Amino acid sequence: LREAALGLCYPLVLKPCSERASRGVSIVNDEAALAAAVAQTAAYGSTMLLEERLHGSEHSAEVVFDATGAVYHFHMCDRFFSYKDGIPLELGHINPTRLSGAQQDDVCAMLVKSATALGVSIGSWKCDVIMTAEGPKILEVAARCSGGFDAQVSYPRSSGDNLLRRVIQVACGMPPTRQPALPQDRFCAIAAILSPKAGVVERLPDLGGEVLWMIQPGSHVHPPRHNAERVGFVVVEGTIYGETWEVASQLATDYVSALAEATH
């Protein structure tokens, strides 16, 4: 391990090659932290990937190709993260992105190029993207729709469009419906509720608003170690980008406090 670490430029990101939802992912800031990070990641598999840590805003972007390989759908959301203790936890996202049209064009072209390189020419293609000072870079690719309630909730709520219907049409050999122009004053934010402590949830708090719970009374919870351990999501719609995210984020924070009181 020490020999492998020689000459590396920190910070780096260490992740297992066979997992999802950030399981086992660590941000390694120096050589001294590498051994502990390897031990943590080894719990999720013996094959690991050590890569450069990129800096910039984070996003999810996806395209849908029809049977001829033409792009019939493209959209992006903006994602927000906490990196406390070297663990990348997604705090939520908002649809649609506020990146410029030119930046979105660059991302779309990158998605198409990556799909072509990997032999994907039909159906859904999703990339997690970071917009660096040098332009967009791919963090992850998947031949599916985006998760985290992006494709299922925030995109249709903010756009009035049905992405999943378009994907099913392509899968069934039908001509997909055209993607409509996105409204300029409709946003949908999804903010994660993170369990503040370990224990058993006696009741689910009810502070109002729309909440998608991943737990129920009697569930054992603990502070999340990866994104699959987020216990709920707040859904907020609005007409102003920043305000919509702030309302969702504050409501999620309020639910975290209430959940602490309901967990013993």
Side-chain angles (χ1 to χ4, degrees), residues 14 21 44 51 55 60 66 87 99 129 145 160-161 169 171-173 184 194 196 201 204 213 253 256 258:
L14 182 68
Y44 296 91
E51 61 186 20
H55 295 274
S60 278
D66 70 3
I87 301 174
L99 291 183
V129 175
C145 291
D161 185 30
Q169 288 171 332
C172 293
Q184 300 299 308
L194 309 178
V201 177
L204 296 181
W213 287 108
T253 299
V256 169

Side-chain angles (χ1 to χ4, degrees), residues 101-155:
Q103 288 174 313
Q104 292 184 58
D105 289 344
D106 289 343
V107 171
C108 185
M110 182 179 68
L111 262 66
V112 172
K113 185 176 181 180
S114 66
T116 300
L118 293 173
V120 175
S121 60
I122 186 171
S124 185
W125 184 249
K126 186 273 297 187
C127 291
D128 290 341
V129 175
I130 186 164
M131 183 59 72
T132 72
E134 293 77 34
K137 307 287 185 181
I138 291 176
L139 297 175
E140 173 188 285
V141 299
R144 58 167 174 79
C145 291
S146 55
F149 299 107
D150 173 3
Q152 309 95 322
V153 177
S154 62
Y155 173 74

Side-chain angles (χ1 to χ4, degrees), residues 80 91-94 187-193 207-211 233-256:
F80 308 102
L91 303 179
H93 71 268
I94 186 169
F187 299 93
C188 183
I190 309 286
I193 302 172
L207 306 179
E210 183 178 354
V211 180
F233 299 86
V234 171
V235 183
V236 173
E237 296 181 48
T239 58
I240 301 173
Y241 178 98
E243 181 179 286
T244 304
W245 171 248
E246 289 174 7
V247 170
S249 180
Q250 183 58 58
L251 186 54
T253 299
D254 293 343
Y255 266 102
V256 169

Side-chain angles (χ1 to χ4, degrees), residues 4 50 57 63 68 90 112 118 137 140 149 162 168 177 204 222 244:
L50 191 62
S57 59
V63 295
T68 70
E90 186 173 358
V112 172
L118 293 173
K137 307 287 185 181
E140 173 188 285
F149 299 107
N162 192 329
I168 292 171
T177 55
L204 296 181
H222 53 76
T244 304

